[in-house]
């Protein structure tokens, strides 16, 4: 029997019999696990006892359920949870391109990710070729060089909600033997599963819609399990690995031992275990709790987002609404193909005014919270050019429509008409003489 999303979000990855029949996932707040005896220790370390634990930096039963659940919701071969979305992006990119190489990515990615690709990865020998439009396959194909290691994109971009043509990008990447890495934070696994459309690696800031309650920072990496990592372009998967040595085993490389799951296994052993950005069991518990209501939350929030977008489109002080879910852009076909349940709960709009009008609006909202986060049960509002995208050079921001008059909303579970009234009164004050 294969369950559907709403059953998996409650049950996947958890067997209560193994946890004293606890009905909900317990929090294993311990660091280490008794090895019991030396014979058992040997078996554990040889990977011969499934779901056995030694030390919580390597694996923890509460975190493990969260990883398994996300993996099942996304249809991967394995997942690793980490301390933040940025830790997920860092581990995924280093695991792909460690030792040097190039990545292709669009300019309109998450502000901190853009800063990392522009200023930090180069110090590790990883350069990025940026494109203005991730769906411009001709330009991307021309940028693919012999040392290009991956194409990276957000399924729905922040804050303009551009939708990436994931199947097209996957075909393009695979025709050059490189993987496609997708940041699927905005849609969450409920609205979109990139692996189904050919993505090889999916990263999440589960701080956002997966958690849904704004109470724990966390990240996850999911491995689609279709990419062949056993090729010379990715020597790290072909090298001998000391932790995989076993009597009688000849090929001790990650590709040799794990085959299609080489990526996620290596990420756990090298990047989780050694770099150590682990998710705490308590945070994993909060993520699991959030996941239980993800469909119900996001359905309502998508619905409210569209009502608010329609209200803004008609408002005399609004220049432009950026919400590809309105199906009024050239992206209509992509949205209909990939996002039948909606693109998400986050979108932006430009005021017919200046940063002064924006400031007045922000200072006068009463229901919306003014802060730099998304995917909360509370509705959130922010001015990206000043807050979330500070580290992005101005000329690039303007290219991405992140102008001084842009406002980003993340819609929560409050009543739609209260949210509309709140924006309405704040916009009126923002434009009062
Ligand atoms: C928030 C966010 C991140 C970073 O996640 P953290 O959990 O804050 O580290 C990465 N990508 C996107 C699209 C995000 O919204």
């Amino acid at each position: 029997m294969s369950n559907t999303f709403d059953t998996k979000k409650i049950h996947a990855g958890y067997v209560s019999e193994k946890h004293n029949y606890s009905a909900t996932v317990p929090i294993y707040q311990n660091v280490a696990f008794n090895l019991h005896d030396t014979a058992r220790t040997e078996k554990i370390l040889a990977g011969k006892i499934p779901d056995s634990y030694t030390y919580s930096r390597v694996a923890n039963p509460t975190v493990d359920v969260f990883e398994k659940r996300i993996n099942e919701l996304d249809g991967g071969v394995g997942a690793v949870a980490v301390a933040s979305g940025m830790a997920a992006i860092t581990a995924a990119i280093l695991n792909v391109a460690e030792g040097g190489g190039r990545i292709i990515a669009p300019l309109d990615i998450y502000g901190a990710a853009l800063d990392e690709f522009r200023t930090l990865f180069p110090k590790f020998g990883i350069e990025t070729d940026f494109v203005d439009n991730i769906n411009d396959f001709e330009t991307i194909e021309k940028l693919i060089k012999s040392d290009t290691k991956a194409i990276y994109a957000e399924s729905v971009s922040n804050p303009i909600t551009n939708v990436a043509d994931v199947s097209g990008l996957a075909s393009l990447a695979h025709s050059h033997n490189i993987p496609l890495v997708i940041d699927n934070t905005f849609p969450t696994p409920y609205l979109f599963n990139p692996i189904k459309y050919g993505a090889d690696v999916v990263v999440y800031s589960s701080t956002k819609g997966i958690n849904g309650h704004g109470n724990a920072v966390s990240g996850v990496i999911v491995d689609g399990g279709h990419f062949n990592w056993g090729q010379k372009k990715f020597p790290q998967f072909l090298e001998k690995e000391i932790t995989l040595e076993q009597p009688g085993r000849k090929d001790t490389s990650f590709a040799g031992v794990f085959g299609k799951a080489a990526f996620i296994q290596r990420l756990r052993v090298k990047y989780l275990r050694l770099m150590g950005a682990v998710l705490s069991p308590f945070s994993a518990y909060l993520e699991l709790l959030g996941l239980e209501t993800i469909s119900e939350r996001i359905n309502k929030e998508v619905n409210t987002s569209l009502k608010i977008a329609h209200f803004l489109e008609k408002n005399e002080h609004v220049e432009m609404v950026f919400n590809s879910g309105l199906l009024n852009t050239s992206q209509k076909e992509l949205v209909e193909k990939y996002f039948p349940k909606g693109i998400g709960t986050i979108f932006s709009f430009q005021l017919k005014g200046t940063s002064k009008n924006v400031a007045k609006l922000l200072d006068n909202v009463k229901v919306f919270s003014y802060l730099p986060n998304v995917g909360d049960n509370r509705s959130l509002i922010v001015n990206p050019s000043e807050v979330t995208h500070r580290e992005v050079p101005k000329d690039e921001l303007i290219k991405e429509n992140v102008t001084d008059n842009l406002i980003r909303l993340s819609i929560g579970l409050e009543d739609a008409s209260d949210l509309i009234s709140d924006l309405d009164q704040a916009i009126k004050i923002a434009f009062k003489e």
Side-chain angles (χ1 to χ4, degrees):
M1 190 184 84
S2 83
N3 286 321
T4 51
F5 190 96
D6 278 352
T7 305
K8 288 185 195 164
K9 83 191 201 303
I10 307 284
H11 296 287
Y14 183 63
V15 181
S16 78
E17 287 85 333
K18 291 190 188 165
H19 303 271
N20 293 310
Y21 296 88
S22 171
T24 61
V25 180
I27 303 172
Y28 283 80
Q29 192 57 48
N30 53 309
V31 173
F33 297 80
N34 281 324
L35 299 170
H36 191 266
D37 58 74
T38 51
R40 182 173 178 272
T41 306
E42 239 174 77
K43 276 195 206 151
I44 293 176
L45 297 178
K48 290 190 173 139
I49 307 181
D51 296 333
S52 56
Y53 303 91
T54 55
Y55 190 70
S56 284
R57 173 160 43 73
V58 182
N60 169 281
T62 310
V63 177
D64 191 48
V65 177
F66 177 52
E67 291 171 337
K68 289 195 165 110
R69 197 160 292 177
I70 291 285
N71 182 53
E72 283 206 33
L73 293 176
D74 247 352
V77 290
V80 168
V82 289
S84 68
M86 285 312 299
I89 294 170
T90 305
I93 293 297
L94 291 179
N95 201 30
V96 171
E98 118 195 351
R102 309 189 74 80
I103 306 287
I104 296 173
L107 273 171
D108 61 345
I109 50 177
Y110 182 72
L114 183 66
D115 194 18
E116 185 175 41
F117 280 79
R118 286 167 53 90
T119 68
L120 187 58
F121 284 145
K123 310 242 159 131
F124 292 82
I126 301 164
E127 300 287 340
T128 300
D129 295 304
F130 288 105
V131 291
D132 290 338
N133 173 4
I134 192 61
N135 296 325
D136 177 358
F137 294 169
E138 235 173 86
T139 303
I140 293 176
E141 185 145 39
K142 280 190 205 131
L143 286 171
I144 299 177
K145 304 186 176 101
S146 61
D147 61 343
T148 298
K149 301 282 176 79
I151 299 176
Y152 176 91
E154 292 177 2
S155 46
V156 176
S157 81
N158 171 24
I160 300 299
T161 76
N162 273 327
V163 169
D165 182 355
V166 172
S167 331
L169 284 169
S171 308
L172 178 61
H174 297 159
S175 70
H176 292 270
N177 262 323
I178 55 174
L180 175 65
V181 182
I182 293 288
D183 180 337
N184 196 42
T185 298
F186 273 27
T188 80
Y190 174 62
L191 293 175
F192 186 56
N193 302 114
I195 292 167
K196 274 192 198 143
Y197 294 94
D200 301 291
V201 176
V202 182
V203 293
Y204 288 100
S205 166
S206 37
T207 313
K208 314 292 170 54
I210 287 176
N211 170 290
H213 298 69
N215 58 22
V217 175
S218 68
V220 199
I221 304 106
V222 190
D223 182 352
H226 300 295
F227 192 75
N228 174 20
W229 297 98
Q231 41 172 319
K232 279 200 215 106
K233 189 185 285 252
F234 306 98
Q236 64 271 35
F237 293 95
L238 296 170
E239 285 162 5
K240 280 187 188 166
E241 166 62 30
I242 190 159
T243 63
L244 298 178
E245 278 174 15
Q246 264 182 38
R249 185 182 270 170
K250 283 207 188 89
D251 185 350
T252 56
S253 70
F254 280 95
V257 174
F258 296 108
K260 297 286 170 156
F263 183 85
I264 203 71
Q265 293 288 348
R266 186 169 191 278
L267 192 145
R268 181 183 299 284
V269 171
K270 292 299 184 189
Y271 286 97
L272 185 70
R273 185 176 136 268
L274 301 186
M275 289 208 162
V278 291
L279 184 63
S280 81
F282 185 64
S283 292
Y285 170 80
L286 292 173
E287 299 304 316
L288 284 163
L289 206 55
L291 262 183
E292 294 194 357
T293 53
I294 191 168
S295 322
E296 290 75 10
R297 286 186 282 112
I298 290 190
N299 277 338
K300 176 171 176 184
E301 289 168 355
V302 164
N303 202 311
T304 306
S305 303
L306 292 173
K307 283 185 191 161
I308 295 173
H310 283 127
F311 155 77
L312 290 169
E313 273 191 320
K314 286 188 227 110
N315 189 287
E316 57 174 327
H317 299 295
V318 171
E319 176 78 41
M320 177 83 184
V321 176
F322 297 97
N323 182 334
S324 51
L326 289 171
L327 300 176
N328 59 357
T329 69
S330 57
Q331 291 209 301
K332 182 170 188 283
E333 261 179 54
L334 291 178
V335 174
E336 284 175 337
K337 173 175 177 184
Y338 297 117
F339 295 95
K341 292 183 291 212
I343 57 147
T345 64
I346 302 138
F347 69 98
S348 305
F349 65 99
Q350 283 168 333
L351 283 183
K352 275 184 196 151
T354 64
S355 53
K356 282 208 182 95
N357 303 103
V358 169
K360 266 199 203 163
L361 193 162
L362 294 171
D363 288 341
N364 284 286
V365 287
K366 295 190 169 68
V367 182
F368 279 85
S369 306
Y370 174 39
L371 55 79
N373 187 20
V374 293
D376 196 338
N377 277 341
R378 274 142 283 277
S379 291
L380 314 174
I381 189 166
V382 79
N383 44 341
S385 70
E386 291 301 316
V387 181
T388 58
H389 286 61
R390 268 197 102 81
E391 58 266 79
V392 183
K394 278 275 182 240
D395 53 329
E396 276 168 26
L397 283 182
I398 290 165
K399 261 202 242 168
E400 298 160 34
N401 291 309
V402 183
T403 46
D404 288 345
N405 59 346
L406 187 83
I407 294 175
R408 183 183 76 192
L409 303 178
S410 170
I411 303 306
L413 290 175
E414 302 94 336
D415 183 79
S417 58
D418 291 341
L419 293 170
I420 291 173
S421 304
D422 191 33
L423 287 174
D424 192 32
Q425 63 83 25
I427 292 173
K428 280 184 182 135
I429 297 173
F431 286 92
K432 209 155 64 188
E433 287 309 313

